[in-house]
Amino acid sequence: MEYQSQAVAKYYFTAAIGLFVGQILFGLIIGLQYVVGDFLFPEIPFNVARMVHTNLLIVWLLFGFMGAAYYLIPEEAERELYSPALAILMFWIFLVAGALTILGYLLVPYSTLADLTMNELWPTMGREFLEQPTITKLGIVVVALAFVFNVGMTVLQGRKTVINLVLMIGLVGLAVFFLFAFHNPSDLVQDKFWWWWTVHLWVEGVWELILGSILAFVLIKTTGVDREVIEKWLYIIIAMTLITGIIGTGHHYYWIGTPEYWQWWGSIFSAMEPIPFFMMTVFAFTMVNKRKRDHPNKVAVLWALGTGVMAFLGAGVWGFLHTLAPVNYFTHGTQITAAHGHMAFYGAYVMVVLAIISYAMPIIRGRAANSNKAQVMEMWSFWLMTVSIVFITLFLTAAGILQTWLQRISDTPMTFMAAQDQIAIFYWMREFAGVVFLIGLIVYIMSFFVSEEDEMNA
Amino acid sequence: MDEMFTKSMARNIFYGGTVFFFLLFLALTFDTMGVVPSRDNHENLTPTVIAGKTLWEENNCIGCHTLLGEGAYFAPELGNVYVRFGNSTEAIKGFIKSRPKDGIPGRRSMPQFNFTDEELEQLAQFLKYTSEINTSNWPPNIMG
Ligand code: HEM
Ligand code: HEM
Ligand SMILES: [Fe+2]
């Protein structure tokens, strides 16, 4: 580690992985509730467990992004972090606020939580992914501002690189577009319209800048390829991201009361959104092929390559599958959406966070790379989790196709619940794949505890 | 990548493209705000409906159901439930009111929220209002 203050990343990475475990446990609960409807009912109803699943996902990814920034920004800027103390303070605030919110979901009915946190003063709760009490949302803004200030000052006072610049644009964008979470008009069409300014412009906009810069950093470090080459790729990838992704928001404006011209704008632009993801795949493989050194951390390279491939499959291919308006008319809000959501989130954001953790954690712990044994174990976890998510996606896609057919296309359409009964077998298989995912995650965590002595004997 | 294509060209495409397409997006947004009032059924956005939307949010209904295709996929679409239930707010209220407290053994069940009659009316009116938004003929059929 070149700068002492990079070590604050360790807090963030540790919390990220801890919350990741929670996310998956709740994923298994709701996956089971899909087929055993009364599981944990009425103590933990589906909507509560689902909220825990998705909110933990977002929160741990944010911890991952912040950890990544605290690690790579000082190194790129060639100076210590502006304020390590502030970074630690914000870590605890974010962790405690997050934990209290999750406990709130689990311990009291949601409407009680809304009353306790005085949602009526500024109602923002009860919208998908943005379920947090308004006070928690304000806390997130405070943490985000302090964070952006801290890393921003570091960049300003240090060497300015393209990676730092792109990461900063992504992080500022993340904070800015979160502000739309506070805008909740009574008019449902307006509400839905602006909701996507947070949700879509995050995952198909500014987060991709964060993704690109983290990936570029890991590739520079592990391949030794010339910075000029990598930076040129990074610029062109994020250019394509925003050129296609901003207007691409229109793929959510087909059926929510917004004007019909969005069917054209949304279809055409979002159909091009796979391009930057494809470029990311080519980028990762080209850089690894052109590598000027063989970095001892093989598993970090594996995660980086995996990010390229899986982000393209999940966001690019599975996104394209249902993004054209005539297709989306039938698939909108079915298991096809869930299938895509899982592979896209995993392939793009989970994997890039695991890539930077894989690269940075050994260095923070005082070695260039982990022992061979630990790396082999981590590679096992890579394959277990990645293959599981592929199967989860395939099972949900099968369920979604059948659901669409039975409920929306057939001459004798079934009710929603009747169609669900018909496709239960796929939900069982998804749950099984989910258990394998959890095993992969356990193996991942175990790989951190392989002692270095083992290496000496091996 | 090609040597002729320099980093500064890539950078300019990034800044130029982003600014251009963001401005275009703003222009489309501006136009959308002009068109939406003719489609969003806002004339029926009464205080009762608005109270219903708040109840919808404060009980996290979206955590199981979709509404106009967005939300969770565990329980039926509710954007058109008013139509599916025979254009009847009474049927909607009756359904919500009659959910068993401990659920239905082995089945996916909806919780019993213990709403007052006034709250039931607000929710039902909110769902009626939603069903009258012009959604370009979505969903494809009454099943949602
Ligand atoms: C890493 C990037 C991406 C992530 C994390 C992601 C994630 C998601 C999630 C979670 C949803 C469900 C939202 C909801 O609950 O309503 C969704 C919906 C959707 N995504 Fe993506 N997505 C990504 C990229 C893409 C791309 C590149 C495309 C198009 C090529 C795309 C097309 C769609 C469409 C059309 C929907 C709406 C589905 C529906 O109508 O139900 N996504 N995405
Ligand atoms: C491993 C076991 C997992 C299981 C059994 C599982 C199960 C589920 C279930 C049942 C839902 C709710 C679907 C609905 O609304 O009806 C869901 C939603 C979701 N899960 Fe998972 N999940 C798992 C892992 C993951 C992972 C690893 C990720 C992220 C990488 C993830 C991201 C999401 C997202 C983004 C949603 C919301 C999807 C949407 O709105 O379209 N899940 N999950
Ligand atoms: Fe999108």
Side-chain angles (χ1 to χ4, degrees), chain A residues 200 204 251-252:
Chain A
H200 172 99
E204 291 159 69
H251 65 182
H252 304 294

Side-chain angles (χ1 to χ4, degrees), chain B residues 56-73:
Chain B
W56 168 269
E57 288 165 1
E58 293 193 345
N59 290 281
N60 191 228
C61 309
I62 202 84
C64 290
H65 295 277
T66 47
L67 191 67
L68 305 186
E70 295 169 0
Y73 322 110

Side-chain angles (χ1 to χ4, degrees), chain A residues 33-34 37-38 41-42 46-47 50-51 110-111 114 119 125-126 128 131 162 165 184-194 196-197 228 231-233 235-236 238-239 242-243 246-247 249 254-263 265 269 329-330 332-333 335 337 407-408 413-416 420-421 427, chain B residues 1-2 5-7 10-11 13-15 17-18 21-22 24-26 28-29 31-33 35-36 39-40 42 45 50 53 57-60 62-64 66-76 101-111 126 129-130 133-141 143-144:
Chain A
Q33 288 177 330
Y34 247 82
D38 58 355
F41 190 90
F46 178 87
N47 62 337
R50 184 190 201 268
M51 231 169 10
Y110 191 71
S111 59
N119 189 52
M125 290 173 75
E128 195 193 1
E131 295 94 346
V162 175
L165 185 69
N184 179 16
S186 302
D187 183 315
L188 187 64
V189 178
Q190 296 262 356
D191 172 4
K192 286 174 172 288
F193 182 91
W194 295 107
W196 285 110
W197 280 53
E228 278 294 302
E231 291 177 344
K232 187 160 68 174
W233 272 94
Y235 265 134
I236 203 72
I238 60 170
L242 295 183
I243 288 171
I246 295 173
I247 308 274
T249 315
Y254 301 155
W255 329 113
I256 61 166
T258 31
E260 284 171 14
Y261 55 66
W262 283 111
Q263 294 182 22
W265 288 104
F269 278 84
Y329 183 66
F330 292 102
H332 182 47
Q335 297 300 321
T337 311
Q407 187 188 319
R408 292 183 177 167
M414 289 183 184
T415 63
F416 175 92
Q420 293 297 305
D421 283 341
Y427 296 137
Chain B
M1 253 188 281
D2 198 68
F5 184 75
T6 62
K7 188 172 97 182
R11 186 190 56 212
I13 296 176
F14 168 63
Y15 285 116
T18 302
F21 285 98
F22 193 71
L24 179 58
F25 187 54
L26 284 182
L28 286 166
T29 297
D31 186 77
T32 296
M33 292 301 129
V35 180
V36 159
R39 304 171 56 99
D40 66 1
H42 67 280
L45 206 57
I50 292 174
K53 181 168 185 278
E57 288 165 1
E58 293 193 345
N59 290 281
N60 191 228
I62 202 84
C64 290
T66 47
L67 191 67
L68 305 186
E70 295 169 0
Y73 322 110
F74 186 73
K101 185 170 124 321
D102 292 317
I104 306 158
R107 310 274 311 161
R108 297 184 197 172
S109 316
M110 178 160 146
F126 169 66
Y129 146 84
T130 305
I133 289 171
N134 180 350
T135 55
S136 307
N137 287 322
W138 194 90
N141 66 34
M143 296 308 179

